[in-house]
Each structure stands twice: as structure tokens, then as C-alpha cells.
Amino acid sequence: MRSTFSTRLGAIAAAAGSAIGLGNIWRFPYMTGENGGAAFLLIYLGAVLCLGIPLMIAEFMIGRTAHADVAGSFRKLLPGSRWYWVGAVSVFVAIVILGFYSVISGWTLEYTWRALTNDFQTSVASAQLVTPDAQASQVLTMDFNAFATSQLPPILWASLFIAINAFILLGGVQKGIERASNILMPILLLLLAMLCVNSLTLPGAAGGLRFLFEPDFSKVTGQTVLAACGQAFFSMSVGMGCLIIYGSYMDDNTKIGKTALSVAGLDTMIAILAGITIFPACYSYNITPNAGPSLIFITLPSVFVAMPGGYFWALLFFILVALAALTSTMSLLEAEVTFFDETIGMTRRRAIMVSALITWVFCVVSSLSLGVWNDYKIAGLNFFYFCDFITSNIFMPLGAAAISLFVGWKLDRQIVRDAITNRKEDSGWYLMPLIWALRVFCPAVIFLVFLKGLGLI
Ligand code: TRP
């Protein structure tokens, strides 16, 4: 008997755990700031509603109907067809995403450790002993670069991270994933709420809030719309079957529409709270919120060094990011594990070992490609950025379009109707809008995102 989540809340916690991750805590605030604040936020909400939610429902539906791994689900629903390959490719995509995602996750462990040992403060103070006018942000930039490009430490942290993931998955669906999510998600919410309240009480917080919430429609272009769509996909974990797996652990009475709404709501809320935490803090200390990885690994430590009680808040913040990353990587690893378990036919234990090992190899290469192997380029990018690029710009949009077309056109209409109405128990009023979103609207928008991602329009 295949396992299922034991409660509805457990299913929501696990799926929300997958969705809430690095995508919410650094990517979203920075994208919002760069793209016109509230104007971007409105478009993002539109993308979550019109694109993200239909796709999430589609993934849950495939999984919950087939109760199988990603590849197996397609095979079960449409036996003998080539749709099976969409699932098989998704597993490969999970491996690639996990390869670089666990490198960044490893960094969050190093930074939790640095926060714990008060390293930001000590490092800045000792640099200022030698050069009194050294800026905290310069010192922390050097520290970050030295760490990220070094060989052993990032690999060790990422290995530890993968090992923790494997350990949780060994517990199975209910005692591993569900239990971990039930414990970690409330902690995550609590930590973020505390950080958020602290940020709002800082002097000058209003500037940060304006940066985040004041609409600047002059910055909105076609590019903004596409950026919002891309962000919605990544943040909601749609487009590569992670949620098919979690859907496959839902029992047949779970309302997939409601679950998708809850998960999407939580994911969006956490992203906005992360913005409310980060920007007021930056503004209060006159530090410009920079783009990219440096936002949480350089800018924020500079803020924490200057903030009263910074030791405490830094520690809370990095624990928060590490936990968010953990529940996301669990879902990616589980997508691999179920494939090796159910489609290839290994035992779960062996599937976990094999998945962890393959992931680890990708992760080592990704990490080294930022330092000693930086000169080996594929299409002009080092391995780390190449993996990031092909997954988010090519495989995920294609996967999302395939899933959307599959449910919209291929899947038996009765199956779709039964899934949405829970075999006529619910009204399923959104059946028709959903079908048409999946048939036409989503694939069309995704196609545009795809062309844009490749720089073709
Ligand atoms: N959604 C996660 C985040 O916001 C990352 C993630 C987990 C993901 N599983 C995924 C992204 C599947 C794309 C596809 O950080």
C-alpha cells in the first residue's frame, strides 16, 4: 500500500514547504524592488492567480489521480504514450536544480554558523583594526567571495545539507516529510513574524516599505510581466513535477483546489513578509538593497552588524533561510527518490542513497565551478549558472507547458471532472475556467516566457 499524508494540514504543510524557499526570501524581494515595487507585485499576484494556481491544481490532479511517481503518473494516465518522457525529463531537471540549489543551501548553513559564532562582527572589527576606515560591506563582500569560491568548506556544508535531506526522507512520507514539514513550517512562520516586526520598528522603516509597495508603473514593461511569471513558477515549485509527487500522497478526498489556494496564499504571504523584513532594514541603515545572492549574504550581514541586537536577528534570519531551503530541497529529492523507487524498482532506502549520491556529484561540480573550475564554460556560463539557466529558462517553462497541455487536452475529461468535484461531492464551479486556462492561456503565456528567457523576443 502506497503511503499518503495523514492529515489535510500535513499535505498543505508539505506542499507549502516545497514552495516556500530561497525563491521567496531573496529572489522575490529583490525582483519586486527592481521592477517597480507595487506595480510588479500586482502583476505577480495576477501571475500566481492565472498561471501558478491552475498549474498547481494540474500537478496535484495528475499525482492524486495516478498515485505514482512523476514518470509513472504519466504512464498510468496515458499508457503507451510518449508523455512518459515528460516525467522522466522532470526527474533529470530535479537533479540539476538540486545540484545548484543545495550549494546555496550549504551557504545558508555556513552563514548560520557565522551568525552563531558572531563572525560578521569579529571579522569587520578585526579588519578595522588594520584599516580603520574599512567599510563593513567591503569586508563582508570579501569574506563572502573568499568562501563561495573556496573548495572544501562549501562542499562540506552542501554535503551535510544533502545528508540531512536524505535522513528525513528515510523516515518515509508520514514520519519523514510530513512530520518535518509540520514542525518546520510553524517555526519558519514564527521566525519570519519576529524578524518582520523588528524591521518595522526600525527608524526609517517607511522608506523600505515605500520601495516595496509604492507602485511605479513607469517601470512596467513586457519584461516585467515575464519576470513576474518566471518568479511565480519558481516560487510555487510548478513546472517539473515536484507537486505531482506531493499530489500523489494526497488521499482521494483531499480538495485539490482548496489545497492549491492555501499553498499559493502561504507562498505569497511569506514572500511579502520577507520583503517587509528585508527592505526596511536596509533603508534604516542606508544600505542599498543590491541584486542577487549578495542581498542575503552580504547586504543583510552588513545591516545586522550595525543593528542593535544584530547577533540575535542574524541568527534567527539564517536559521529561517536554511529551514526554508530544507523543506524545498526535500521535495526535489523526493521527486528523484520516487522515480528510482517506483519506476526503476529499487527499494526506498536504496533509491534515497542513489538519489543523494547523484545529487552530490552535481552539487560538487556546481560548487567547484564557482571557484577553481570557473574557467570551464558551457555556452559562455560556468556549470553553476548554466544549470540555473537551462532549468529556469528552458526546462521549467517547457515542463509547465507540457503539464498544462496534458491536463487540458489529453487527460480524460471524466478524470478531470472527478478530480475537481471529488466525484460530484463538490460543485467544481471552476472546472471550465480551469480547463480553458490550461488549454490555451497558460501554454500561450508560457511560450512567451520561454522565448523571452532565450532572448528571442
Ligand atoms: N519553490 C522553491 C523556492 O521558492 C524552489 C523549488 C522547490 C522549486 N521545488 C521546485 C522550483 C520545483 C522549481 C521547481 O525556493
Side-chain angles (χ1 to χ4, degrees):
M1 179 60 189
R2 204 168 179 277
S3 14
T4 54
F5 292 126
S6 62
T7 64
R8 310 247 160 101
L9 208 59
I12 294 178
S18 167
I20 297 165
L22 298 170
N24 303 58
I25 300 180
W26 70 260
R27 202 168 186 266
F28 173 82
Y30 135 71
M31 296 276 283
T32 307
E34 288 284 284
N35 287 292
F40 176 84
L41 189 59
L42 281 178
I43 302 171
Y44 175 77
L45 293 178
V48 168
L49 216 61
C50 303
L51 227 51
I53 293 179
L55 276 163
M56 191 180 272
I57 296 179
E59 290 203 20
F60 284 159
M61 186 190 300
I62 294 175
R64 204 199 58 172
T65 308
H67 291 300
D69 67 293
V70 198
S73 287
F74 284 99
R75 188 152 59 188
K76 229 167 162 175
L77 295 175
L78 220 59
S81 79
R82 291 205 204 110
W83 284 94
Y84 163 79
W85 284 100
V86 173
V89 171
S90 299
V91 175
F92 174 73
V93 179
I95 296 174
V96 179
I97 297 184
L98 202 46
F100 69 83
Y101 203 99
S102 39
V103 174
I104 311 182
S105 305
W107 296 352
T108 67
L109 292 183
E110 161 81 15
Y111 271 67
T112 306
W113 176 251
R114 287 189 183 185
L116 187 70
T117 54
N118 204 16
D119 183 79
F120 308 129
Q121 200 85 45
T122 331
S123 171
V124 171
S126 59
Q128 284 170 344
L129 273 183
V130 187
T131 337
D133 58 351
Q135 297 267 317
S137 59
Q138 288 171 338
V139 179
L140 293 165
T141 305
M142 273 161 34
D143 284 354
F144 172 73
N145 289 338
F147 165 69
T149 57
S150 67
Q151 294 181 36
L152 212 50
I155 293 180
L156 289 179
W157 285 118
S159 310
L160 175 64
F161 201 86
I162 295 173
I164 297 174
N165 264 288
F167 180 75
I168 294 176
L169 295 196
L170 274 176
V173 176
Q174 291 190 359
K175 296 219 171 82
I177 298 174
E178 187 174 352
R179 192 198 282 167
S181 309
N182 279 339
I183 298 173
L184 297 179
M185 295 315 284
I187 298 181
L188 192 142
L189 276 174
L190 185 72
L191 289 179
L192 189 56
M194 289 169 70
L195 283 155
C196 200
V197 170
N198 177 52
S199 281
L200 287 175
T201 56
L202 294 171
L209 292 180
R210 264 202 298 281
F211 182 66
L212 187 60
F213 289 119
E214 207 159 63
D216 180 358
F217 287 102
S218 70
K219 282 197 187 155
V220 175
T221 59
Q223 165 78 42
T224 321
V225 179
L226 298 172
C229 296
Q231 173 62 21
F233 282 167
F234 191 85
S235 185
M236 298 175 77
S237 303
V238 295
M240 45 100 5
C242 255
L243 299 178
I244 292 185
I245 298 300
Y246 280 9
S248 78
Y249 295 145
M250 291 175 189
D251 71 39
D252 291 336
N253 297 319
T254 311
K255 297 184 178 14
I256 49 182
K258 263 196 178 160
T259 309
L261 269 187
S262 312
V263 174
L266 281 169
D267 185 61
T268 310
M269 184 181 86
I270 299 282
I272 295 175
L273 288 180
I276 299 180
T277 299
I278 291 172
F279 291 118
C282 294
Y283 269 70
S284 185
Y285 290 93
N286 281 327
I287 295 174
T288 351
N290 286 338
S294 61
L295 184 62
I296 65 170
F297 295 108
I298 297 174
T299 316
L300 283 189
S302 319
V303 170
F304 291 133
V305 166
M307 186 188 280
Y311 171 82
F312 175 70
W313 297 114
L315 188 57
L316 288 197
F317 180 79
F318 283 107
I319 294 176
L320 165 78
V321 190
L323 293 185
L326 178 63
T327 49
S328 295
T329 45
M330 265 159 47
S331 71
L332 285 159
L333 192 62
E334 181 70 8
E336 286 179 52
V337 169
T338 43
F339 175 78
F340 288 117
D341 178 352
E342 296 172 11
T343 291
I344 307 286
M346 297 178 183
T347 61
R348 182 168 169 96
R349 179 175 279 272
R350 170 165 295 188
I352 292 173
M353 299 303 164
V354 170
S355 308
L357 195 69
I358 297 176
T359 300
W360 185 77
V361 172
F362 270 79
C363 155
V364 168
V365 180
S366 289
S367 184
L368 292 176
S369 77
L370 291 172
V372 281
W373 290 349
N374 193 21
D375 289 337
Y376 296 102
K377 306 272 193 217
I378 316 170
L381 299 168
N382 67 29
F383 187 74
F384 184 99
Y385 287 108
F386 180 72
C387 290
D388 184 6
F389 181 85
I390 54 162
T391 49
S392 50
N393 291 314
I394 300 179
F395 285 112
M396 272 163 46
L398 283 184
I403 288 167
S404 180
L405 293 170
F406 178 78
V407 174
W409 296 100
K410 284 287 172 187
L411 196 57
D412 183 68
R413 184 60 75 80
Q414 193 56 41
I415 293 183
V416 178
R417 193 171 294 132
D418 281 349
I420 296 296
T421 61
N422 279 344
R423 297 160 309 281
K424 300 214 178 70
E425 279 171 26
D426 302 330
S427 71
W429 59 269
Y430 59 90
L431 182 66
M432 283 328 278
L434 177 77
I435 297 236
W436 283 102
L438 293 174
R439 286 190 159 177
V440 182
F441 179 76
C442 297
V445 177
I446 293 165
F447 190 58
L448 288 175
V449 176
F450 181 67
L451 291 182
K452 185 79 199 173
L454 289 182
L456 298 177
I457 52 170

